[in-house]
């Protein structure tokens, strides 16, 4: 999918936002018959707030890509998982956007001025019940490919998959696995040897739903690419 197509379709975010594919929502597998339910809420019901940066940019061929990170092996709870640059909102963060940009600078060395980053808005918040986080996705566009360097303490690899990997009818794989002491069933995007699931997948699913909805009813264009070349650096 060409970056110019994506940028045009995301020029303004709809209200209300379309929902991500329902298959991406994790469900708790419980009991001998395998009945499904929602994962439990965190103790006390309190949710911490975090912000992540959903950064889109054009590659050398003008195709739209998104910046993701792989967690390092030392992260015992989330080793090898794929996420966006981001973290907890701190007291001196003026906004979720400021927090997301700060975390991206710390984790992957993002220079917003070098890449020509422009904020677009926020996608829908995502609640991660098993960890007690409410995540605010900040959507941004870069005019050019950012020069990124991972902080090895927080990032094992930087992934840059095509945005088309998450636009319907992109494939979703149904998985059942033990996560954080819970048996979960969830949908995941299989991308270049990675399985992208959880909050990251739901954010990408909503992004794809917005792009797809904005393109309905328009003339056809050579937007979608079936190949997904090297996504990591």
């Amino acid at each position: 999918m060409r970056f110019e197509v994506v940028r045009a379709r995301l020029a303004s975010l709809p209200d209300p936002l379309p929902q991500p594919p329902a298959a991406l929502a994790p469900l708790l597998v419980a009991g001998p018959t395998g009945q499904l339910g929602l994962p439990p809420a965190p103790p006390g019901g309190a949710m911490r707030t975090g912000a992540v940066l959903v950064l889109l940019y054009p590659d050398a061929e003008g195709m739209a890509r998104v910046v993701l990170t792989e967690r390092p092996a030392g992260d015992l709870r989330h080793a090898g998982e794929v996420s966006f640059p981001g973290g907890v909102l701190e007291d001196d963060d003026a906004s979720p956007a400021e927090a997301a940009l700060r975390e991206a600078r710390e984790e992957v060395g993002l220079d917003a001025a070098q890449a020509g980053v422009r904020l677009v808005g926020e996608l829908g918040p995502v609640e991660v019940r098993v960890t007690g986080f409410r995540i605010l996705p900040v959507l941004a566009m870069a005019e050019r490919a950012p020069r990124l360097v991972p902080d090895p303490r927080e990032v094992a690899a930087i992934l840059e998959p095509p945005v088309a990997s998450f636009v319907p009818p992109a494939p979703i794989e149904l998985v059942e696995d033990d996560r954080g002491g819970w048996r979960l069933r969830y949908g995941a995007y299989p991308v270049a040897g990675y399985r992208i699931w959880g909050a990251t997948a739901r954010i990408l699913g909503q992004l794809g739903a917005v792009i797809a909805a904005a393109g309905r009813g328009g003339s056809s264009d050579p937007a979608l690419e079936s190949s997904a070349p090297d996504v990591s650096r």
Side-chain angles (χ1 to χ4, degrees):
M1 179 169 272
R2 298 201 64 80
F3 180 75
E4 291 304 321
V5 173
V6 172
R7 177 159 59 182
R9 293 186 183 183
L10 297 176
S12 60
L13 297 178
D15 185 12
L17 289 162
Q19 293 300 306
L24 297 172
L27 294 173
L28 180 67
V29 181
T33 60
Q35 63 264 33
L36 299 176
L38 291 176
M47 303 288 286
R48 293 176 293 171
T49 301
V52 299
L53 186 66
V54 184
L55 181 63
L56 312 184
Y57 74 91
D59 66 13
E61 286 74 44
M63 308 306 291
R65 292 184 177 262
V66 60
V67 177
L68 300 172
T69 65
E70 179 187 359
R71 298 288 187 101
D75 189 335
L76 296 181
R77 277 185 68 95
H78 304 288
E81 291 183 10
V82 175
S83 62
F84 294 98
V88 179
L89 264 70
E90 298 181 355
D91 292 340
D92 54 354
D93 288 324
S95 65
E98 182 174 301
L101 288 169
R102 171 182 54 77
E103 290 284 348
R105 183 172 61 251
E106 295 172 0
E107 292 181 15
V108 298
L110 174 67
D111 183 334
Q114 173 270 319
V117 173
R118 177 181 64 85
L119 298 174
V120 175
E122 288 186 20
L123 297 171
V126 176
E127 291 189 356
V128 186
R129 295 170 65 90
V130 294
T131 59
F133 261 100
R134 183 173 184 266
I135 300 174
L136 305 177
V138 177
L139 179 61
M141 298 277 187
E143 291 298 318
R144 60 198 70 90
R147 294 194 292 265
L148 303 176
V149 179
D151 181 339
R153 296 169 299 178
E154 299 189 73
V155 176
I158 298 172
L159 315 178
E160 299 169 279
V163 170
S165 301
F166 312 104
V167 178
I172 295 174
E173 177 184 349
L174 189 61
V175 181
E176 190 170 309
D177 201 0
D178 291 314
R179 296 282 182 174
W182 303 98
R183 186 72 178 175
L184 298 178
R185 182 177 299 173
Y186 53 86
Y189 288 109
V191 177
Y194 291 88
R195 183 180 282 162
I196 302 174
W197 72 288
T200 303
R202 281 178 280 168
I203 293 167
L204 289 166
Q206 183 168 68
L207 174 67
V210 173
I211 294 170
R216 292 193 189 108
S219 59
S220 61
D221 56 58
L224 294 177
E225 295 288 340
S226 59
S227 60
D230 187 17
V231 299
S232 63
R233 62 163 86 180

PDB file of all heavy atoms in Angstrom, residues 11-45:
ATOM      1  N   ALA A  11      -6.113  11.373   6.573  1.00  0.00           N
ATOM      2  CA  ALA A  11      -6.040  12.835   6.700  1.00  0.00           C
ATOM      3  C   ALA A  11      -6.887  13.333   7.861  1.00  0.00           C
ATOM      4  O   ALA A  11      -6.538  14.303   8.544  1.00  0.00           O
ATOM      5  CB  ALA A  11      -6.488  13.491   5.394  1.00  0.00           C
ATOM      6  N   SER A  12      -8.018  12.680   8.107  1.00  0.00           N
ATOM      7  CA  SER A  12      -8.825  12.973   9.285  1.00  0.00           C
ATOM      8  C   SER A  12      -9.403  11.656   9.793  1.00  0.00           C
ATOM      9  O   SER A  12      -9.858  10.824   8.999  1.00  0.00           O
ATOM     10  CB  SER A  12      -9.951  13.955   8.966  1.00  0.00           C
ATOM     11  OG  SER A  12     -10.822  13.430   7.980  1.00  0.00           O
ATOM     12  N   LEU A  13      -9.362  11.467  11.096  1.00  0.00           N
ATOM     13  CA  LEU A  13      -9.857  10.226  11.682  1.00  0.00           C
ATOM     14  C   LEU A  13     -11.366  10.296  11.872  1.00  0.00           C
ATOM     15  O   LEU A  13     -11.899  11.320  12.308  1.00  0.00           O
ATOM     16  CB  LEU A  13      -9.177   9.961  13.022  1.00  0.00           C
ATOM     17  CG  LEU A  13      -7.663   9.737  12.969  1.00  0.00           C
ATOM     18  CD1 LEU A  13      -7.106   9.524  14.373  1.00  0.00           C
ATOM     19  CD2 LEU A  13      -7.316   8.560  12.072  1.00  0.00           C
ATOM     20  N   PRO A  14     -12.072   9.222  11.542  1.00  0.00           N
ATOM     21  CA  PRO A  14     -13.532   9.238  11.691  1.00  0.00           C
ATOM     22  C   PRO A  14     -13.955   9.202  13.150  1.00  0.00           C
ATOM     23  O   PRO A  14     -13.208   8.771  14.020  1.00  0.00           O
ATOM     24  CB  PRO A  14     -13.965   7.957  10.957  1.00  0.00           C
ATOM     25  CG  PRO A  14     -12.787   7.044  11.093  1.00  0.00           C
ATOM     26  CD  PRO A  14     -11.580   7.920  11.030  1.00  0.00           C
ATOM     27  N   ASP A  15     -15.166   9.671  13.396  1.00  0.00           N
ATOM     28  CA  ASP A  15     -15.758   9.620  14.734  1.00  0.00           C
ATOM     29  C   ASP A  15     -17.190   9.110  14.590  1.00  0.00           C
ATOM     30  O   ASP A  15     -18.017   9.782  13.972  1.00  0.00           O
ATOM     31  CB  ASP A  15     -15.758  11.013  15.372  1.00  0.00           C
ATOM     32  CG  ASP A  15     -16.240  10.997  16.809  1.00  0.00           C
ATOM     33  OD1 ASP A  15     -16.349   9.898  17.384  1.00  0.00           O
ATOM     34  OD2 ASP A  15     -16.524  12.091  17.344  1.00  0.00           O
ATOM     35  N   PRO A  16     -17.491   7.917  15.075  1.00  0.00           N
ATOM     36  CA  PRO A  16     -16.613   7.044  15.862  1.00  0.00           C
ATOM     37  C   PRO A  16     -15.633   6.277  14.986  1.00  0.00           C
ATOM     38  O   PRO A  16     -15.850   6.135  13.780  1.00  0.00           O
ATOM     39  CB  PRO A  16     -17.600   6.091  16.533  1.00  0.00           C
ATOM     40  CG  PRO A  16     -18.721   5.989  15.538  1.00  0.00           C
ATOM     41  CD  PRO A  16     -18.848   7.361  14.936  1.00  0.00           C
ATOM     42  N   LEU A  17     -14.575   5.790  15.614  1.00  0.00           N
ATOM     43  CA  LEU A  17     -13.593   4.968  14.922  1.00  0.00           C
ATOM     44  C   LEU A  17     -14.151   3.565  14.699  1.00  0.00           C
ATOM     45  O   LEU A  17     -14.860   3.035  15.550  1.00  0.00           O
ATOM     46  CB  LEU A  17     -12.316   4.867  15.755  1.00  0.00           C
ATOM     47  CG  LEU A  17     -11.459   6.123  15.868  1.00  0.00           C
ATOM     48  CD1 LEU A  17     -10.505   5.997  17.052  1.00  0.00           C
ATOM     49  CD2 LEU A  17     -10.679   6.371  14.580  1.00  0.00           C
ATOM     50  N   PRO A  18     -13.843   2.943  13.550  1.00  0.00           N
ATOM     51  CA  PRO A  18     -14.239   1.540  13.377  1.00  0.00           C
ATOM     52  C   PRO A  18     -13.481   0.652  14.349  1.00  0.00           C
ATOM     53  O   PRO A  18     -12.377   0.973  14.782  1.00  0.00           O
ATOM     54  CB  PRO A  18     -13.849   1.248  11.926  1.00  0.00           C
ATOM     55  CG  PRO A  18     -12.768   2.231  11.612  1.00  0.00           C
ATOM     56  CD  PRO A  18     -13.100   3.457  12.396  1.00  0.00           C
ATOM     57  N   GLN A  19     -14.098  -0.460  14.703  1.00  0.00           N
ATOM     58  CA  GLN A  19     -13.484  -1.381  15.645  1.00  0.00           C
ATOM     59  C   GLN A  19     -12.497  -2.310  14.933  1.00  0.00           C
ATOM     60  O   GLN A  19     -12.658  -2.624  13.755  1.00  0.00           O
ATOM     61  CB  GLN A  19     -14.552  -2.225  16.338  1.00  0.00           C
ATOM     62  CG  GLN A  19     -15.455  -1.410  17.256  1.00  0.00           C
ATOM     63  CD  GLN A  19     -14.668  -0.720  18.360  1.00  0.00           C
ATOM     64  OE1 GLN A  19     -13.926  -1.355  19.107  1.00  0.00           O
ATOM     65  NE2 GLN A  19     -14.824   0.596  18.448  1.00  0.00           N
ATOM     66  N   PRO A  20     -11.462  -2.774  15.648  1.00  0.00           N
ATOM     67  CA  PRO A  20     -10.558  -3.775  15.065  1.00  0.00           C
ATOM     68  C   PRO A  20     -11.293  -5.098  14.909  1.00  0.00           C
ATOM     69  O   PRO A  20     -12.357  -5.300  15.507  1.00  0.00           O
ATOM     70  CB  PRO A  20      -9.431  -3.874  16.087  1.00  0.00           C
ATOM     71  CG  PRO A  20     -10.054  -3.447  17.377  1.00  0.00           C
ATOM     72  CD  PRO A  20     -11.080  -2.402  17.016  1.00  0.00           C
ATOM     73  N   PRO A  21     -10.755  -6.030  14.131  1.00  0.00           N
ATOM     74  CA  PRO A  21     -11.392  -7.343  14.007  1.00  0.00           C
ATOM     75  C   PRO A  21     -11.598  -7.995  15.372  1.00  0.00           C
ATOM     76  O   PRO A  21     -10.699  -8.032  16.208  1.00  0.00           O
ATOM     77  CB  PRO A  21     -10.405  -8.133  13.146  1.00  0.00           C
ATOM     78  CG  PRO A  21      -9.693  -7.090  12.338  1.00  0.00           C
ATOM     79  CD  PRO A  21      -9.577  -5.899  13.252  1.00  0.00           C
ATOM     80  N   ALA A  22     -12.805  -8.519  15.598  1.00  0.00           N
ATOM     81  CA  ALA A  22     -13.140  -9.111  16.896  1.00  0.00           C
ATOM     82  C   ALA A  22     -12.231 -10.283  17.236  1.00  0.00           C
ATOM     83  O   ALA A  22     -11.985 -10.560  18.413  1.00  0.00           O
ATOM     84  CB  ALA A  22     -14.601  -9.553  16.900  1.00  0.00           C
ATOM     85  N   ALA A  23     -11.712 -10.971  16.230  1.00  0.00           N
ATOM     86  CA  ALA A  23     -10.872 -12.149  16.472  1.00  0.00           C
ATOM     87  C   ALA A  23      -9.585 -11.808  17.204  1.00  0.00           C
ATOM     88  O   ALA A  23      -8.942 -12.693  17.775  1.00  0.00           O
ATOM     89  CB  ALA A  23     -10.538 -12.830  15.148  1.00  0.00           C
ATOM     90  N   LEU A  24      -9.182 -10.536  17.226  1.00  0.00           N
ATOM     91  CA  LEU A  24      -7.916 -10.156  17.857  1.00  0.00           C
ATOM     92  C   LEU A  24      -8.024 -10.044  19.375  1.00  0.00           C
ATOM     93  O   LEU A  24      -7.001 -10.020  20.065  1.00  0.00           O
ATOM     94  CB  LEU A  24      -7.432  -8.815  17.286  1.00  0.00           C
ATOM     95  CG  LEU A  24      -7.097  -8.801  15.789  1.00  0.00           C
ATOM     96  CD1 LEU A  24      -6.833  -7.383  15.334  1.00  0.00           C
ATOM     97  CD2 LEU A  24      -5.913  -9.692  15.492  1.00  0.00           C
ATOM     98  N   ALA A  25      -9.223  -9.956  19.911  1.00  0.00           N
ATOM     99  CA  ALA A  25      -9.391  -9.768  21.357  1.00  0.00           C
ATOM    100  C   ALA A  25      -9.051 -11.053  22.111  1.00  0.00           C
ATOM    101  O   ALA A  25      -9.636 -12.105  21.827  1.00  0.00           O
ATOM    102  CB  ALA A  25     -10.817  -9.348  21.665  1.00  0.00           C
ATOM    103  N   PRO A  26      -8.125 -11.011  23.068  1.00  0.00           N
ATOM    104  CA  PRO A  26      -7.799 -12.212  23.839  1.00  0.00           C
ATOM    105  C   PRO A  26      -8.972 -12.645  24.713  1.00  0.00           C
ATOM    106  O   PRO A  26      -9.652 -11.824  25.315  1.00  0.00           O
ATOM    107  CB  PRO A  26      -6.606 -11.777  24.700  1.00  0.00           C
ATOM    108  CG  PRO A  26      -6.080 -10.552  24.048  1.00  0.00           C
ATOM    109  CD  PRO A  26      -7.258  -9.880  23.425  1.00  0.00           C
ATOM    110  N   LEU A  27      -9.208 -13.955  24.778  1.00  0.00           N
ATOM    111  CA  LEU A  27     -10.236 -14.525  25.637  1.00  0.00           C
ATOM    112  C   LEU A  27      -9.598 -15.559  26.559  1.00  0.00           C
ATOM    113  O   LEU A  27      -8.679 -16.276  26.155  1.00  0.00           O
ATOM    114  CB  LEU A  27     -11.335 -15.180  24.796  1.00  0.00           C
ATOM    115  CG  LEU A  27     -12.179 -14.238  23.938  1.00  0.00           C
ATOM    116  CD1 LEU A  27     -13.108 -15.047  23.038  1.00  0.00           C
ATOM    117  CD2 LEU A  27     -12.974 -13.261  24.796  1.00  0.00           C
ATOM    118  N   LEU A  28     -10.092 -15.599  27.775  1.00  0.00           N
ATOM    119  CA  LEU A  28      -9.590 -16.560  28.758  1.00  0.00           C
ATOM    120  C   LEU A  28     -10.241 -17.918  28.517  1.00  0.00           C
ATOM    121  O   LEU A  28     -11.460 -18.026  28.403  1.00  0.00           O
ATOM    122  CB  LEU A  28      -9.908 -16.066  30.168  1.00  0.00           C
ATOM    123  CG  LEU A  28      -9.459 -16.948  31.330  1.00  0.00           C
ATOM    124  CD1 LEU A  28      -7.935 -16.995  31.405  1.00  0.00           C
ATOM    125  CD2 LEU A  28     -10.039 -16.415  32.644  1.00  0.00           C
ATOM    126  N   VAL A  29      -9.395 -18.938  28.419  1.00  0.00           N
ATOM    127  CA  VAL A  29      -9.883 -20.307  28.282  1.00  0.00           C
ATOM    128  C   VAL A  29      -9.919 -20.914  29.685  1.00  0.00           C
ATOM    129  O   VAL A  29      -8.887 -21.054  30.338  1.00  0.00           O
ATOM    130  CB  VAL A  29      -8.982 -21.141  27.361  1.00  0.00           C
ATOM    131  CG1 VAL A  29      -9.531 -22.556  27.218  1.00  0.00           C
ATOM    132  CG2 VAL A  29      -8.851 -20.473  25.993  1.00  0.00           C
ATOM    133  N   ALA A  30     -11.103 -21.265  30.149  1.00  0.00           N
ATOM    134  CA  ALA A  30     -11.241 -21.718  31.535  1.00  0.00           C
ATOM    135  C   ALA A  30     -12.056 -22.993  31.600  1.00  0.00           C
ATOM    136  O   ALA A  30     -12.937 -23.233  30.779  1.00  0.00           O
ATOM    137  CB  ALA A  30     -11.905 -20.632  32.380  1.00  0.00           C
ATOM    138  N   GLY A  31     -11.759 -23.822  32.603  1.00  0.00           N
ATOM    139  CA  GLY A  31     -12.562 -25.007  32.880  1.00  0.00           C
ATOM    140  C   GLY A  31     -12.255 -26.171  31.958  1.00  0.00           C
ATOM    141  O   GLY A  31     -11.643 -26.020  30.914  1.00  0.00           O
ATOM    142  N   PRO A  32     -12.686 -27.362  32.335  1.00  0.00           N
ATOM    143  CA  PRO A  32     -12.381 -28.573  31.558  1.00  0.00           C
ATOM    144  C   PRO A  32     -13.031 -28.586  30.193  1.00  0.00           C
ATOM    145  O   PRO A  32     -12.563 -29.261  29.287  1.00  0.00           O
ATOM    146  CB  PRO A  32     -12.916 -29.709  32.447  1.00  0.00           C
ATOM    147  CG  PRO A  32     -13.944 -29.060  33.321  1.00  0.00           C
ATOM    148  CD  PRO A  32     -13.449 -27.663  33.557  1.00  0.00           C
ATOM    149  N   THR A  33     -14.126 -27.834  30.033  1.00  0.00           N
ATOM    150  CA  THR A  33     -14.789 -27.811  28.720  1.00  0.00           C
ATOM    151  C   THR A  33     -14.264 -26.699  27.833  1.00  0.00           C
ATOM    152  O   THR A  33     -14.699 -26.554  26.701  1.00  0.00           O
ATOM    153  CB  THR A  33     -16.308 -27.649  28.903  1.00  0.00           C
ATOM    154  OG1 THR A  33     -16.575 -26.408  29.588  1.00  0.00           O
ATOM    155  CG2 THR A  33     -16.882 -28.804  29.693  1.00  0.00           C
ATOM    156  N   GLY A  34     -13.328 -25.881  28.351  1.00  0.00           N
ATOM    157  CA  GLY A  34     -12.710 -24.838  27.539  1.00  0.00           C
ATOM    158  C   GLY A  34     -13.609 -23.660  27.250  1.00  0.00           C
ATOM    159  O   GLY A  34     -13.488 -23.022  26.211  1.00  0.00           O
ATOM    160  N   GLN A  35     -14.527 -23.326  28.176  1.00  0.00           N
ATOM    161  CA  GLN A  35     -15.381 -22.170  27.944  1.00  0.00           C
ATOM    162  C   GLN A  35     -14.535 -20.899  27.928  1.00  0.00           C
ATOM    163  O   GLN A  35     -13.477 -20.823  28.534  1.00  0.00           O
ATOM    164  CB  GLN A  35     -16.492 -22.067  29.007  1.00  0.00           C
ATOM    165  CG  GLN A  35     -15.991 -21.867  30.432  1.00  0.00           C
ATOM    166  CD  GLN A  35     -15.897 -23.170  31.196  1.00  0.00           C
ATOM    167  OE1 GLN A  35     -15.604 -24.211  30.607  1.00  0.00           O
ATOM    168  NE2 GLN A  35     -16.132 -23.115  32.493  1.00  0.00           N
ATOM    169  N   LEU A  36     -15.053 -19.873  27.224  1.00  0.00           N
ATOM    170  CA  LEU A  36     -14.295 -18.647  27.015  1.00  0.00           C
ATOM    171  C   LEU A  36     -14.889 -17.511  27.830  1.00  0.00           C
ATOM    172  O   LEU A  36     -16.097 -17.436  28.042  1.00  0.00           O
ATOM    173  CB  LEU A  36     -14.295 -18.267  25.531  1.00  0.00           C
ATOM    174  CG  LEU A  36     -13.674 -19.283  24.570  1.00  0.00           C
ATOM    175  CD1 LEU A  36     -13.840 -18.819  23.126  1.00  0.00           C
ATOM    176  CD2 LEU A  36     -12.205 -19.494  24.883  1.00  0.00           C
ATOM    177  N   GLY A  37     -14.029 -16.610  28.296  1.00  0.00           N
ATOM    178  CA  GLY A  37     -14.482 -15.429  29.021  1.00  0.00           C
ATOM    179  C   GLY A  37     -13.417 -14.357  28.972  1.00  0.00           C
ATOM    180  O   GLY A  37     -12.329 -14.552  28.406  1.00  0.00           O
ATOM    181  N   LEU A  38     -13.703 -13.207  29.563  1.00  0.00           N
ATOM    182  CA  LEU A  38     -12.730 -12.126  29.584  1.00  0.00           C
ATOM    183  C   LEU A  38     -11.648 -12.400  30.618  1.00  0.00           C
ATOM    184  O   LEU A  38     -11.931 -12.967  31.680  1.00  0.00           O
ATOM    185  CB  LEU A  38     -13.412 -10.798  29.912  1.00  0.00           C
ATOM    186  CG  LEU A  38     -14.350 -10.229  28.856  1.00  0.00           C
ATOM    187  CD1 LEU A  38     -15.012  -8.952  29.379  1.00  0.00           C
ATOM    188  CD2 LEU A  38     -13.596  -9.936  27.562  1.00  0.00           C
ATOM    189  N   PRO A  39     -10.397 -12.006  30.332  1.00  0.00           N
ATOM    190  CA  PRO A  39      -9.363 -12.102  31.369  1.00  0.00           C
ATOM    191  C   PRO A  39      -9.758 -11.260  32.578  1.00  0.00           C
ATOM    192  O   PRO A  39     -10.500 -10.283  32.452  1.00  0.00           O
ATOM    193  CB  PRO A  39      -8.118 -11.519  30.674  1.00  0.00           C
ATOM    194  CG  PRO A  39      -8.385 -11.687  29.217  1.00  0.00           C
ATOM    195  CD  PRO A  39      -9.865 -11.516  29.051  1.00  0.00           C
ATOM    196  N   PRO A  40      -9.283 -11.628  33.763  1.00  0.00           N
ATOM    197  CA  PRO A  40      -9.683 -10.897  34.975  1.00  0.00           C
ATOM    198  C   PRO A  40      -9.140  -9.479  34.992  1.00  0.00           C
ATOM    199  O   PRO A  40      -8.097  -9.188  34.401  1.00  0.00           O
ATOM    200  CB  PRO A  40      -9.071 -11.742  36.094  1.00  0.00           C
ATOM    201  CG  PRO A  40      -7.900 -12.415  35.453  1.00  0.00           C
ATOM    202  CD  PRO A  40      -8.330 -12.704  34.042  1.00  0.00           C
ATOM    203  N   ALA A  41      -9.859  -8.592  35.669  1.00  0.00           N
ATOM    204  CA  ALA A  41      -9.385  -7.224  35.861  1.00  0.00           C
ATOM    205  C   ALA A  41      -8.264  -7.223  36.890  1.00  0.00           C
ATOM    206  O   ALA A  41      -8.159  -8.134  37.713  1.00  0.00           O
ATOM    207  CB  ALA A  41     -10.532  -6.337  36.335  1.00  0.00           C
ATOM    208  N   PRO A  42      -7.388  -6.203  36.853  1.00  0.00           N
ATOM    209  CA  PRO A  42      -6.301  -6.149  37.828  1.00  0.00           C
ATOM    210  C   PRO A  42      -6.838  -5.942  39.235  1.00  0.00           C
ATOM    211  O   PRO A  42      -7.951  -5.440  39.415  1.00  0.00           O
ATOM    212  CB  PRO A  42      -5.483  -4.930  37.375  1.00  0.00           C
ATOM    213  CG  PRO A  42      -6.451  -4.097  36.607  1.00  0.00           C
ATOM    214  CD  PRO A  42      -7.370  -5.067  35.928  1.00  0.00           C
ATOM    215  N   PRO A  43      -6.079  -6.339  40.274  1.00  0.00           N
ATOM    216  CA  PRO A  43      -6.530  -6.167  41.656  1.00  0.00           C
ATOM    217  C   PRO A  43      -6.879  -4.708  41.947  1.00  0.00           C
ATOM    218  O   PRO A  43      -6.138  -3.797  41.582  1.00  0.00           O
ATOM    219  CB  PRO A  43      -5.321  -6.623  42.483  1.00  0.00           C
ATOM    220  CG  PRO A  43      -4.566  -7.534  41.568  1.00  0.00           C
ATOM    221  CD  PRO A  43      -4.772  -6.989  40.187  1.00  0.00           C
ATOM    222  N   GLY A  44      -8.028  -4.492  42.574  1.00  0.00           N
ATOM    223  CA  GLY A  44      -8.435  -3.134  42.909  1.00  0.00           C
ATOM    224  C   GLY A  44      -9.076  -2.385  41.767  1.00  0.00           C
ATOM    225  O   GLY A  44      -9.636  -1.315  41.954  1.00  0.00           O
ATOM    226  N   GLY A  45      -9.003  -2.915  40.551  1.00  0.00           N
ATOM    227  CA  GLY A  45      -9.641  -2.277  39.409  1.00  0.00           C
ATOM    228  C   GLY A  45      -8.911  -1.064  38.868  1.00  0.00           C
ATOM    229  O   GLY A  45      -9.373  -0.451  37.911  1.00  0.00           O
TER     230      GLY A  45
END
